């Protein structure tokens, strides 16, 4: 593929590390066994992280915090809303909190989602400080760097956060990033580590970016240069274990080594591109979102246009390695979305999909989605 050699694209020097397919070695931790609390432990990512920590020889006890009891064996469940100040009492005796209780649903009301995500992070950080917890691990996204034509490839961890704040999930993540930077001043002695993964892929993961591969054609905006980097759910869980053990600190990026160019993605997926002028693609995406017909604002289309590849250098220096390559993760993603159809992040079904896909591919689907949905709504009112 078009990615440069792994020693160049990961920021490592020649001879360092282990082969990518070896995966992450056992964390080299020499401290005392820890008690770790995982919020959102009944969720897709939280369940994986809680199970890793239960299996870790470096963790003495795992508290699983969520609004419902999950299926992870060997943990102690604390069933409550993370926005409840009573969470401070439940964190007594905890050394580290891994906060993963987030509403990532594309169909969620934006105000309700933001209130949950931001308020939940604020409450957990404050409660952790009050309970004497010494480290909180947060998980946002590499999307906070923004996708811009002048981005370095790859981006260093300390690169400026240049994402735009629209009524989208990225806005929530930027607010949580600001909270993370303020927290050490507000709560002296509390350490905050933030993980920023690339496009996360795995069972149960459903985002605007994974739905990009459900389209009949891969939408390419004229004049753009997409670079695709993925992060497998299991690799992210392993990275969060490293963060919980204190083996990485500060702002930490995580993803597969290197990246794929658009041509690589088309060759691997067998899905042909549909190239549209920027004014048409962005203007249509904005109208669809304004009408409430698509889940993401037009600004999110930039993440399919320009690079936001990350190096993962801090994790590599700590000994972590991704188990999966970009090619392997893309193959898994394509298998997961097989038989599904979405345009501009909006999943189509039944007659909508048949009409859009049978007409002229992505162009008609993108432009015609609004008309199709408006017509369906009129029929329901009759």
């Amino acid at each position: 593929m078009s990615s440069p050699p792994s020693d160049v694209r990961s920021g490592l020097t020649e001879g360092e590390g282990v082969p990518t397919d070896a995966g992450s070695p056992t964390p080299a931790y020499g401290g005392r066994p820890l008690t770790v609390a995982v919020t959102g432990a009944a969720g897709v990512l939280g369940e994986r992280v809680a199970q890793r920590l239960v299996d870790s020889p470096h963790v003495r006890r795992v508290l699983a915090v969520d609004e419902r009891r999950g299926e992870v064996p060997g943990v102690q469940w604390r069933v409550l809303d993370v926005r409840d100040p009573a969470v401070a009492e439940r964190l007594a005796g905890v050394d580290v909190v891994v906060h993963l209780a987030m509403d990532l649903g594309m169909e969620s009301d934006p105000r309700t989602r933001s209130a949950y995500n931001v308020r939940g992070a604020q409450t957990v950080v404050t409660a952790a400080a009050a309970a004497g917890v010494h480290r909180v691990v947060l998980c946002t996204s590499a999307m906070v760097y923004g996708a811009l034509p002048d981005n370095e490839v790859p981006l260093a961890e300390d690169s400026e956060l240049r994402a735009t704040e629209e009524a989208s999930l990225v806005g929530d993540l930027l607010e949580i990033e600001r909270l993370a930077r303020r927290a050490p001043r507000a709560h002296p002695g509390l350490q905050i580590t933030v993980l920023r993964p690339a496009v996360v892929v795995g069972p149960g993961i459903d985002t605007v970016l994974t739905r990009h591969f459900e389209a009949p054609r891969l939408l390419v905006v004229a004049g753009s240069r997409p670079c695709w980097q993925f992060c497998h759910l299991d690799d992210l869980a392993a990275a969060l274990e490293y963060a919980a053990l204190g083996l990485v600190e500060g702002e930490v990026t995580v993803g597969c080594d290197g990246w794929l160019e658009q041509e690589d993605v088309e060759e691997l997926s067998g899905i042909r591109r549909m190239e549209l002028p920027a004014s048409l693609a962005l203007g249509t995406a904005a109208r669809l979102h304004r009408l409430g017909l698509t889940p993401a604002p037009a600004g999110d289309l930039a993440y399919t246009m320009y690079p936001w590849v990350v190096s993962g250098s801090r994790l590599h220096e700590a000994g972590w390695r991704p188990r999966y390559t970009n090619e392997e993760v893309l193959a898994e993603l394509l298998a997961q979305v097989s038989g599904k159809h979405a345009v501009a992040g909006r999943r189509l079904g039944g007659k909508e999909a048949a009409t859009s896909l049978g007409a002229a591919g992505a162009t008609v689907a993108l432009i015609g989605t609004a008309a199709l949905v408006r017509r369906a709504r009129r029929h329901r009112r009759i």
Side-chain angles (χ1 to χ4, degrees), residues 16-160:
E16 286 184 301
V18 295
T20 301
D21 58 7
S24 294
T26 301
Y29 175 75
R32 63 179 178 81
L34 301 174
T35 295
V36 183
V38 179
T39 68
V44 173
L45 177 58
E47 192 174 73
R48 300 273 177 123
V49 174
Q51 188 61 65
R52 283 193 72 92
L53 295 173
V54 167
D55 296 336
S56 172
H58 310 306
V59 175
R60 180 173 64 88
R61 185 164 61 107
V62 177
L63 270 66
V65 182
D66 209 318
E67 294 179 53
R68 59 184 177 87
R69 187 179 294 270
E71 303 297 328
V72 183
V75 302
Q76 298 178 14
W77 285 97
R78 301 288 185 267
V79 180
L80 79 164
D81 189 323
V82 293
R83 295 169 295 178
D84 188 339
V87 71
E89 302 172 9
R90 309 299 179 93
L91 297 179
V94 170
D95 299 302
V96 181
V97 174
V98 181
H99 177 58
L100 303 175
M102 294 274 289
D103 180 359
L104 305 178
M106 287 182 291
E107 313 306 328
S108 300
D109 173 73
R111 292 185 179 181
T112 302
R113 183 203 61 226
S114 294
Y116 179 84
N117 290 339
V118 176
R119 181 60 179 170
Q122 291 172 336
T123 303
V124 167
V125 169
T126 302
V133 174
H134 66 259
R135 182 183 306 111
V136 173
V137 178
L138 302 172
C139 187
T140 61
S141 168
M143 295 176 79
V144 297
Y145 291 109
L148 297 106
D150 62 344
N151 273 348
E152 293 186 0
V153 180
L155 291 161
E157 269 99 347
D158 58 1
S159 296
E160 182 183 355

Side-chain angles (χ1 to χ4, degrees), residues 215-358:
R217 297 286 188 271
L218 293 176
L219 174 64
V220 176
V221 177
S224 66
R225 58 177 191 108
C227 292
W228 289 94
Q229 182 187 37
F230 301 100
C231 178
H232 194 278
L233 190 65
D234 289 336
D235 283 337
L236 178 55
L240 286 162
E241 179 187 5
Y242 270 70
L245 296 175
L247 300 176
V248 287
E249 297 179 347
E251 292 84 25
V252 181
T253 58
V254 53
C256 300
D257 286 340
W259 61 94
L260 300 174
E261 305 286 353
Q262 180 67 26
E263 292 76 13
D264 301 328
V265 170
E266 292 169 18
E267 180 182 349
L268 289 165
S269 67
I271 306 174
R272 290 181 292 173
R273 72 166 63 193
M274 177 63 71
E275 191 163 313
L276 298 178
S279 58
L280 176 60
L282 293 169
T284 302
R287 288 193 296 275
L288 291 175
H289 184 65
R290 190 165 54 249
L291 290 167
L293 305 180
T294 55
D300 281 9
L301 194 59
Y303 293 96
T304 70
M305 296 170 59
Y306 302 118
W308 48 291
V309 173
V310 292
S311 68
S313 58
R314 291 177 179 166
L315 274 166
H316 279 79
E317 290 166 4
W320 175 93
R321 297 292 182 272
R323 178 181 174 186
Y324 295 87
T325 66
N326 282 301
E327 292 86 348
E328 290 169 338
V329 179
L330 176 58
E332 182 169 329
L333 171 58
L334 293 171
Q336 289 173 3
V337 303
S338 177
K340 299 175 182 176
H341 306 291
V343 173
R346 182 178 185 277
R347 188 164 284 156
L348 306 177
K351 293 182 179 179
E352 271 189 320
T355 302
S356 296
L357 299 177

